[in-house]
């Protein structure tokens, strides 16, 4: 089992997301990540999906998605050079002045934005790779007792050069 990535171009209609996610739940495939957004054509949306599966199951998933009327195109991104980012917000609560200084240093090292600051809290906004976000969360958990994390799914686009994730 490994993480597999798919980009789907789908009709931008009510219920398409439910049909696609229903296909996964109906077959007991667990989605690791799913993001959806409109494309340059407002009648078309692009879904970026991550699913943990073996080779045989992944081929079945792609075939089933290709059979859906609402699906325009299925692209297997698993072994393609990509640019991929995941949005994450991390709120560090009950901070002392020294804690805030440390959060600012961590933000600088990870090249993330301080989105908001309160009397005893700091909110970080991160647009990093999944691996880098995991590293940031691990560091924050090791340094601070009270953190909240909200993650969005990854978005990805095929590279136009040879660089990878």
């Amino acid at each position: 089992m490994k993480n597999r990535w798919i980009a789907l171009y789908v009709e931008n209609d009510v219920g398409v997301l439910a049909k696609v996610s229903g296909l996964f739940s109906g077959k007991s495939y667990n989605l690791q990540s799913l993001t959806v957004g409109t494309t340059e054509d407002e009648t078309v949306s692009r879904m970026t999906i991550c699913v943990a599966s073996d080779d045989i199951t992944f081929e079945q998933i792609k075939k089933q998605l290709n059979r859906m009327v609402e699906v325009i195109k299925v692209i297997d991104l698993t072994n393609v050079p990509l640019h991929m980012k995941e949005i994450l917000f991390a709120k560090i609560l009950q901070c002392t002045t020294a804690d805030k200084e440390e959060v600012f240093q961590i933000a600088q090292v990870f090249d993330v934005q301080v989105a908001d600051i309160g009397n005893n809290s700091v909110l970080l906004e991160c647009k990093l790779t999944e691996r880098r976000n995991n590293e940031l969360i691990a560091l924050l958990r090791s340094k601070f007792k009270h953190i909240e994390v909200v993650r969005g799914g990854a978005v990805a686009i095929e590279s136009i050069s040879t660089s990878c994730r």
Side-chain angles (χ1 to χ4, degrees):
M1 298 281 271
K2 73 174 196 175
N3 282 349
R4 317 297 177 120
W5 292 91
I6 302 171
L8 289 183
Y9 286 93
V10 297
E11 295 172 2
N12 186 10
D13 289 329
V14 174
V16 174
L17 174 60
K19 287 180 182 179
V20 170
S21 62
L23 180 143
F24 283 86
S25 66
K27 301 288 184 180
S28 298
Y29 304 143
N30 188 31
L31 293 173
Q32 302 297 312
S33 172
L34 182 139
T35 56
V36 184
T38 56
T39 64
E40 65 283 353
D41 177 351
E42 64 186 38
T43 66
V44 176
S45 291
R46 179 172 164 139
M47 296 183 180
T48 305
I49 299 172
C50 179
V51 62
S53 73
D54 57 42
D55 292 338
I56 294 168
T57 302
F58 189 60
E59 288 304 315
Q60 289 174 341
I61 290 169
K62 290 189 297 185
K63 285 177 186 174
Q64 290 168 348
L65 288 168
N66 269 311
R67 282 195 290 254
M68 294 180 72
V69 173
E70 300 84 1
V71 173
I72 298 163
K73 186 175 183 179
V74 177
I75 304 169
D76 181 352
L77 299 175
T78 303
N79 296 311
V80 174
L82 297 173
H83 292 274
M84 183 180 295
K85 298 291 182 190
E86 174 188 75
I87 191 164
L88 174 142
F89 288 101
K91 192 184 295 181
I92 300 86
L93 304 163
Q94 300 179 14
C95 293
T96 64
T97 302
D99 289 341
K100 285 182 187 178
E101 288 177 18
E102 189 166 10
V103 171
F104 276 82
Q105 288 176 345
I106 291 169
Q108 189 173 21
V109 168
F110 277 80
D111 194 26
V112 299
Q113 302 297 309
V114 175
D116 201 4
I117 187 165
N119 290 333
N120 63 354
S121 58
V122 178
L123 177 65
L124 300 179
E125 178 182 325
C126 316
K127 294 174 283 272
L128 303 170
T129 63
E130 178 186 14
R131 180 185 62 81
R132 198 72 171 134
N133 277 338
N134 288 341
E135 292 168 355
L136 175 62
I137 292 167
L139 179 60
L140 292 173
R141 284 187 176 144
S142 74
K143 300 275 184 187
F144 307 103
K145 291 182 181 178
H146 305 282
I147 68 166
E148 282 180 37
V149 174
V150 177
R151 293 176 96 150
V155 293
I157 192 165
E158 301 85 347
S159 179
I160 54 176
S161 64
T162 57
S163 61
C164 289
R165 299 175 211 202

